Amino acid sequence: MRVLLLGSGGREHAIFWKLSQSPDLKEIFVFPGNGGFPDRVIAKGINLNDFESIRAFVKANQIDLIFVGPEQPLVDGVTDALEKDCLVFGPVRRAAMLEGSKEFSKTFMQKHGIPTALAKSFNVSSEAIAYLKTRSLPIVIKADGLAAGKGVTVAQTFADAEAAIVDALDRKIFGTSGATVLIEDFLKGEEASVFAICDGERALPMIAAQDHKRVFDKDQGPNTGGMGAYVPVPFMKPDVMRRVQTDVLDRVVAGMKAEGSPYRGLLYAGLMVDNGVPSVVEFNCRFGDPETQALLRLLDEDLLHLARQSAQGKLPDRPLRFAAGAVICIVLAADGYPGEYRKNIPIPELKTVDSSGDIIFFHAGTAAQAGATVSTGGRVLNLTASGKDLAEARARAYAVLEKIQVPGLFYRKDIGLKGIL
Ligand code: AMP
Ligand code: GLY
C-alpha cells in the first residue's frame, strides 16, 4: 500500500516507525514531518488547511490510505472530504466532535450512559459564576473547543475558577474555542489512557497507558501535552478493562452508530479510575502523544493492516496482541515549555534505534537545517526504553539520558514511578 501520514510530532515518528515494518507498505510519505524523518519521505505541495491540496497529492502519488495523526484535520473534516478518494484512518467530522467540542462530548456521554463527571455549559459569565457558587471545590473549568491542551483549569479556589471563566467568556483568551465553558465536578483517582481502534461496529482496545501531564516532578507546575508515559499500567487490571470496554468503548461505538456517524479510527478515552471504577475525563479522536511512542513498541500487530481494516469497517473479531514487558517514554522539552520556550537548540545526532534494540529515540519538535538538526517545538525528543518490567525499562532510559545531556532541554526524573509497585 501507498500511505500518506499527516502530522509532525513524536507520535507520528512512532507511527512511521511502526508502519514501516509492514510487509504491505510499498511507499510512505509524511506531511509536514519533523527532523527525524528522512528527507525523501517528506511530501511536497500540501497545505493541511486545504483539503484540495491533499487530494491532488493523493491522486498524483496513488495514495491508498491517509493516516491522520493530529486532531485538527479530523475536527475540520479531512475524512469526510477525502474518503471517496482513498481510505482515511480517522473519524469523520461529526464523530471527531467527541474531541472537538467538550459540550458535544458531555451531552453524548450523558445520553448514552457513559460514566463521567457532572457538568453544565455556559456562555454568559454571570450565569456561569452563579452556578459555580452552588458547587464545591476543587472544580474544573473547561473551554468547549480545541485549545492545544491549555483549555482546562483545575481550580482549588473559587477566585481561580472565576478567573478561568472570565478569561474564556469575557477576555476570550481561547477565541471562539472558549465561547462556551463547561463547569465540571472534580473526579478523584488515578488517570489512565485507553486507546481503541474502531471500525464503526466494534472497538478493539490496546493495553492501558499512563501519561504525565504536569511539567515538573511530583506532578507540579502547569499542564503540558504530556511529559512522559509508560505501559502497561498495573492498576488497569482485567476487570477494570472489562468495565472500560462495556461502559465506555462499546457505548461510544453503539451511540455513534445510532446517531448516524459510525466511529472509525482511533478513540482515545482519558479516564479517571477510582477504586477500580473508570469515569471519562475526555475523549480524543486520535492517538495520544507521548503514550503512543511507548504503546506501539509493544503492539504485536501490523498497524497498517489495522488502519486499513478500521477505515474499511472490518476489524478482526479478536483481541489485539501485545508483547510482554514494559516500555517507558520520556519527553525532552525545551527550556521554558509549556510557556515561551527556547528554539533552535542544536540536537546531537542520535541513532534512532541503539544496537541492543532496547532504546529508540523518536523526534518531535525538531527540523533538519543545513545538515544539522535543531529544535523547533516545545516537546523536542522522546526517548523510549523497553525492559522485562517497568523498573528495568526505567533504569535503562535514565541511564541513557544521564549520558547524553542536551543543553537547553529538560526532562522529568520521575516518569513511571507510579507504575512500579
Ligand atoms: P483534558 O484536557 O480534558 O484532558 O484535561 C486536562 C487534565 O485536567 C486531565 O488530564 C486531568 O488531569 C485534569 N482534569 C480534567 N477534568 C477533570 C476532572 N473532572 N476531574 C479531575 N481532573 C480533571
Ligand atoms: N497525551 C495527551 C494527549 O495526547 O492528548
Side-chain angles (χ1 to χ4, degrees), residues 102 117 140 142 152 154 184-187 191 213 223 272 281-282:
K102 290 192 192 287
V140 186
K142 300 185 169 184
V152 175
V154 180
E184 182 170 297
D185 287 356
F186 180 80
L187 292 164
E191 281 187 77
K213 290 230 162 83
N223 264 325
M272 194 69 84
V281 173
E282 61 162 349

Side-chain angles (χ1 to χ4, degrees), residues 11 211 213 225-226 268 282 284 286-291:
R11 165 183 57 207
D211 189 6
K213 290 230 162 83
Y268 170 140
E282 61 162 349
N284 294 319
R286 37 76 191 172
F287 274 99
D289 186 331
E291 297 98 314

Side-chain angles (χ1 to χ4, degrees), residues 233-252:
V233 181
F235 66 82
M236 293 299 281
K237 298 201 165 54
D239 59 315
V240 184
M241 289 300 284
R242 267 194 296 279
R243 280 184 102 125
V244 174
Q245 178 88 57
T246 55
D247 297 0
V248 178
L249 304 175
D250 290 351
R251 288 180 189 172
V252 171

Side-chain angles (χ1 to χ4, degrees), residues 97-413:
M97 278 176 73
L98 282 178
E99 175 166 3
S101 165
K102 290 192 192 287
E103 186 182 30
F104 173 90
S105 183
K106 187 62 75 173
T107 307
F108 179 88
M109 286 189 259
Q110 285 163 348
K111 188 158 143 203
H112 296 285
I114 297 168
T116 187
L118 177 78
K120 266 181 91 98
S121 55
F122 297 91
N123 34 44
V124 176
S125 59
S126 57
E127 291 169 15
I129 292 165
Y131 173 75
L132 176 68
K133 303 227 162 101
T134 69
R135 309 310 301 166
S136 51
L137 293 169
I139 187 90
V140 186
I141 313 296
K142 300 185 169 184
D144 174 54
L146 295 183
K150 297 196 176 119
V152 175
T153 303
V154 180
Q156 303 295 338
T157 66
F158 284 114
D160 286 352
E162 223 176 292
I165 291 169
V166 170
D167 278 350
L169 293 182
D170 298 340
R171 295 184 53 225
K172 305 196 186 326
I173 63 167
F174 304 116
T176 53
S177 284
T180 299
V181 295
L182 271 73
I183 301 181
E184 182 170 297
D185 287 356
F186 180 80
L187 292 164
K188 62 183 173 54
E190 273 292 328
E191 281 187 77
S193 311
V194 174
F195 302 168
I197 298 196
C198 305
D199 68 355
E201 296 285 335
R202 65 169 76 84
L204 297 182
M206 305 205 173
I207 54 178
Q210 191 172 48
D211 189 6
H212 297 62
K213 290 230 162 83
R214 302 298 190 103
V215 69
F216 299 128
D217 284 14
K218 303 207 171 98
D219 295 333
Q220 301 295 306
N223 264 325
T224 70
M227 293 297 293
Y230 66 90
V231 283
V233 181
F235 66 82
M236 293 299 281
K237 298 201 165 54
D239 59 315
V240 184
M241 289 300 284
R242 267 194 296 279
R243 280 184 102 125
V244 174
Q245 178 88 57
T246 55
D247 297 0
V248 178
L249 304 175
D250 290 351
R251 288 180 189 172
V252 171
V253 171
M256 277 297 172
K257 187 178 166 191
E259 295 191 11
S261 313
Y263 198 103
R264 300 196 185 93
L266 197 286
L267 175 67
Y268 170 140
L271 304 168
M272 194 69 84
V273 182
D274 189 26
N275 281 319
V277 181
S279 300
V280 175
V281 173
E282 61 162 349
F283 285 123
N284 294 319
C285 60
R286 37 76 191 172
F287 274 99
D289 186 331
E291 297 98 314
T292 300
Q293 292 86 309
L295 255 176
L296 291 185
R297 291 198 50 191
L298 285 187
L299 177 67
D300 188 15
E301 300 277 353
D302 185 322
L303 182 62
L304 181 57
H305 287 181
L306 291 177
R308 182 182 61 202
Q309 291 163 336
S310 161
Q312 290 173 329
K314 38 184 185 201
L315 281 169
D317 194 7
R318 62 165 177 80
L320 298 176
R321 289 179 293 247
F322 283 84
V327 179
I328 190 168
C329 173
I330 298 168
V331 172
L332 286 82
D335 285 344
Y337 176 79
E340 282 283 310
Y341 54 80
R342 274 184 65 187
K343 289 192 179 141
N344 289 311
I345 301 164
I347 306 300
E349 201 166 319
L350 300 161
K351 266 224 297 247
T352 300
V353 185
D354 80 340
S355 52
S356 67
D358 296 326
I359 305 288
I360 303 183
F361 270 101
F362 294 118
H363 282 240
T366 69
Q369 222 173 64
T373 305
V374 296
S375 75
T376 52
R379 293 189 294 172
V380 179
L381 290 171
N382 304 142
L383 171 110
T384 65
S386 58
K388 64 178 185 310
D389 55 22
L390 185 56
E392 187 175 76
R394 199 173 174 276
R396 282 181 178 152
Y398 281 107
V400 172
L401 287 178
E402 269 159 36
K403 269 189 269 167
I404 61 143
Q405 299 286 346
V406 184
L409 301 185
F410 72 98
Y411 55 87
R412 272 180 64 162
K413 310 281 189 302

